[in-house]
Amino acid sequence: MRDVAAVMWFRRDLRLADNPALLDAVSAGDGRVVALFVLDPRLWDRAGDPRREHLAASLRSLSESVDGQLVVRRGDPVEVVPALAGEVGATSVHISADHAPYGQDRDTEVEASLNCPLVATGSPYAIAPGRILNQQNRPYQVFTPYFRRWLEHGWRHPVDPPAKVDWIAADGDNLPDSTAEGAGEQAALDHWRDYLDDVGRYDDERDRPDLDSISRMSIPLKYGEIHPRTMLADLARKRSAGAEAYRRQLAWREFCADLLARHPEAAWKPLRPEFERMEYDEPGDAFEAWCEGRTGFPFVDAGMRQLAESGFLHNRVRMVVASFLVKDLHVHWRLGARWFMRSLRDGDLASNSLNWQWVAGCGADAAPYFRIFNPIGQGLKFDPDGEYVRRWIPELRHLDGKAAHEPLKHGGADGYPAPIVDHAEARREALRRYDAIR
C-alpha cells in the first residue's frame, strides 16, 4: 500500500512562502508532496524569449527550493496532470486558482480528467477577481470606486512556508535552459526588501524613466515569485505618499484581472463596442519602424529599444509608445499588445490588454480618446535632461540636455531618422476617426 501523497501543481506561484495552496497540499499529503510544473506548449510557444528565459530560471530556483525534486513535464496539462497523479497515487491535486480565460478552461478540463479532487486555494491576487462588488452587488467598471472598496475589503495576512515537506520524486523532463539572472523567490524577496527603503520616492519619481528608480516588481509578480499580500503587508508599515501610490498600482493590477475574468473577450476585443467601428490603418513600414525604435521621435524610440534589448519598459514610456502607435500611426492596439506580449519579460495578459485599451480609449475607465500624448512634450517633461534618450539611442549621445529630444533643431544625427509622421496632423486625424464613431 502506497503512502499518502498530494500533488502541488505550480503555475503562477513559483514560491514556497505565502502559498496557501502549498500548505493545503502538505496537509492533504501528510507532508508528502510531489512538486509539478507543466510546460504547456500553448503557453510556452506563444511566449517571447524574455518570458521563456525568466520562467526557466525561476523553475531552476524553485527546483533548488524543493530539494531538486521539481517534476517538469512537457505536454497538455489535461493529459499530464492526471497521468502523474495516477503514477504517484495522489489523493488530491492542489493549485492556486487561475482567473485568466485559458487557465479557467484548462482547469475545468483537468478536473474532469482526474480521479482525485482538484483543490484550488488562493490566487495570484490579494483579492481574487469577482470579490469586489458595489452596493448593488455588481462589479465595478471604474477604478477609483473599485480602489476604495478594495481597500475596505482588505486581504489576508501572508502565511509562512511549510515547516517540513517530504518532496517525492517522479520522472520528468529536463529543466529548460536559461541564462537569465535575478529570477526566483529569494531574488524577488531580496529585491523587494531593498526597494522598500526607496518606496517613499515612488510618487515623485515613478514617471521619470531617466532616474530608473522604479521597482520592476511586475516581473516577480508575473511568475508568482512573490505574492502581493507580502508586499502589501510591508507597505502597511510605511507612511508616505510613495507607499500609497504604490499600493494603488497593485490595486490597478487587480482591477485589470477582475475585468478580464468577467470579460474574457477583452484580451483582444474592445470593452466599448463602438470602437469596433474605429478606422485603423494596415500595419506596414511605420509599424516596423515603431517596433524597431526608428520613428524619429527620440522618447518613443528609446522606449522601443529598451524593450527590445532588456525585455522591460518603464510604465510612463509604455503609455507614450502605445499612444503613438494607436493615435499617431493609427495602427490597431491589438498589434501593439501582441508585440508587447512577445517582448516583455513581465508580459501579463490582463495587465497588458487592459492597459492598451486604457490608452486606446476603448476599455473600462479608459483615458479619453482625445488624450493624445505629444511624444516630444512627454520626453521633455519626464526626461528633462535627455538622459533616458541618450542611454538607449547612441546616435543622439552627442546632443546635450533637452536637445536630445529634438535632434532636427540641433543639426540632426547621422544614422538617426527624421520623424515618420507630423504629430499635429496625426492628432487631427485621430480625432476625426474618433468623431466618426461617436
Side-chain angles (χ1 to χ4, degrees), residues 6-241:
V7 172
M8 175 62 199
W9 177 15
F10 288 94
R11 291 100 67 89
R12 288 186 56 182
D13 51 355
L14 305 183
R15 65 184 185 280
L16 303 189
D18 200 6
N19 193 334
L22 175 58
L23 293 181
D24 277 3
V26 172
S27 177
D30 285 344
R32 293 168 48 83
V33 177
V34 180
L36 170 67
F37 187 88
V38 182
L39 276 177
D40 183 347
R42 282 174 289 187
L43 299 177
W44 179 262
D45 294 347
R46 294 175 186 174
D49 288 341
R51 275 194 290 153
R52 284 196 289 256
E53 280 278 313
H54 191 95
L55 173 59
S58 191
L59 289 175
R60 289 185 174 275
S61 175
L62 179 62
S63 182
E64 293 176 5
S65 298
V66 298
D67 302 333
Q69 301 298 344
L70 179 65
V71 180
V72 174
R73 291 192 179 182
R74 291 172 171 82
D76 186 343
V78 178
E79 299 173 356
V80 171
V81 177
L84 177 68
E87 290 168 25
V88 301
T91 56
S92 54
V93 175
H94 296 261
I95 58 173
S96 296
D98 192 333
H99 294 273
Y102 170 69
Q104 291 188 67
D105 291 343
R106 174 204 58 208
D107 291 352
T108 298
E109 292 184 48
V110 169
E111 184 174 26
S113 301
L114 279 168
N115 291 321
C116 63
L118 180 68
V119 183
T121 310
S123 78
Y125 306 101
I127 304 173
R131 294 210 177 159
I132 301 298
L133 302 172
N134 62 23
Q135 291 182 344
Q136 290 74 44
N137 213 34
R138 301 178 67 178
Y140 287 95
Q141 300 296 325
V142 177
F143 174 68
T144 298
Y146 171 92
F147 177 55
R148 287 196 294 265
R149 182 70 190 97
W150 183 83
L151 289 173
E152 291 169 359
H153 184 285
W155 40 83
R156 296 179 185 274
H157 291 293
V159 295
D160 292 331
K164 187 178 186 312
V165 186
D166 182 9
W167 300 105
I168 306 303
D171 292 336
D173 299 319
N174 292 330
L175 286 165
D177 294 329
S178 175
T179 59
E181 298 180 353
E185 179 178 13
Q186 192 57 54
L189 290 170
D190 291 344
H191 182 70
W192 171 240
R193 300 280 152 70
D194 287 344
Y195 180 76
L196 273 174
D197 293 335
D198 298 319
V199 75
R201 296 157 45 194
Y202 178 76
D203 193 41
D204 293 330
E205 298 183 358
R206 60 180 174 161
D207 283 321
R208 293 284 301 275
D210 56 325
L211 301 178
D212 198 24
S213 59
I214 54 174
S215 72
R216 299 177 186 251
M217 290 302 295
S218 58
I219 299 171
L221 281 169
K222 155 69 184 175
Y223 302 91
E225 296 164 339
I226 191 171
H227 197 281
R229 276 189 309 262
T230 299
M231 300 168 69
L232 288 163
D234 291 335
L235 288 170
R237 293 189 284 271
K238 302 287 184 178
R239 295 289 183 269
S240 67

Side-chain angles (χ1 to χ4, degrees), residues 293-371:
R294 297 185 293 102
T295 69
F297 290 86
F299 198 54
V300 172
D301 292 341
M304 296 309 292
R305 295 188 192 190
Q306 179 188 15
L307 177 62
E309 293 181 34
S310 71
F312 188 80
L313 187 55
H314 187 281
N315 189 58
R316 165 58 57 173
V317 187
R318 293 189 198 205
M319 291 189 285
V320 174
V321 302
S323 176
F324 186 84
L325 181 70
V326 176
K327 297 173 182 177
D328 283 78
L329 302 184
H330 314 302
V331 172
H332 202 297
W333 64 267
R334 279 198 301 261
L335 294 170
R338 286 176 178 142
W339 183 259
F340 270 27
M341 285 299 288
R342 284 196 296 269
S343 304
L344 283 169
R345 193 178 177 192
D346 64 2
D348 172 86
L349 183 64
S351 293
N352 186 58
S353 291
L354 273 301
N355 275 302
W356 270 92
Q357 290 211 40
W358 185 87
V359 172
C362 60
D365 203 34
Y369 191 82
F370 53 79
R371 181 183 295 167

Side-chain angles (χ1 to χ4, degrees), residues 246-307:
Y246 200 101
R247 188 160 35 241
R248 189 179 180 91
Q249 289 301 110
L250 290 174
W252 176 260
R253 172 179 178 265
E254 307 212 342
F255 179 59
C256 290
D258 187 77
L259 285 171
L260 187 63
R262 291 188 283 110
H263 303 283
E265 72 284 358
W268 308 116
K269 184 177 180 180
L271 283 172
R272 298 189 177 188
E274 64 270 25
F275 277 83
E276 293 279 25
R277 307 193 309 273
M278 175 66 78
E279 178 188 352
Y280 292 107
D281 292 350
E282 289 296 320
D285 293 343
F287 178 65
E288 291 186 10
W290 178 82
C291 293
E292 296 171 4
R294 297 185 293 102
T295 69
F297 290 86
F299 198 54
V300 172
D301 292 341
M304 296 309 292
R305 295 188 192 190
Q306 179 188 15
L307 177 62

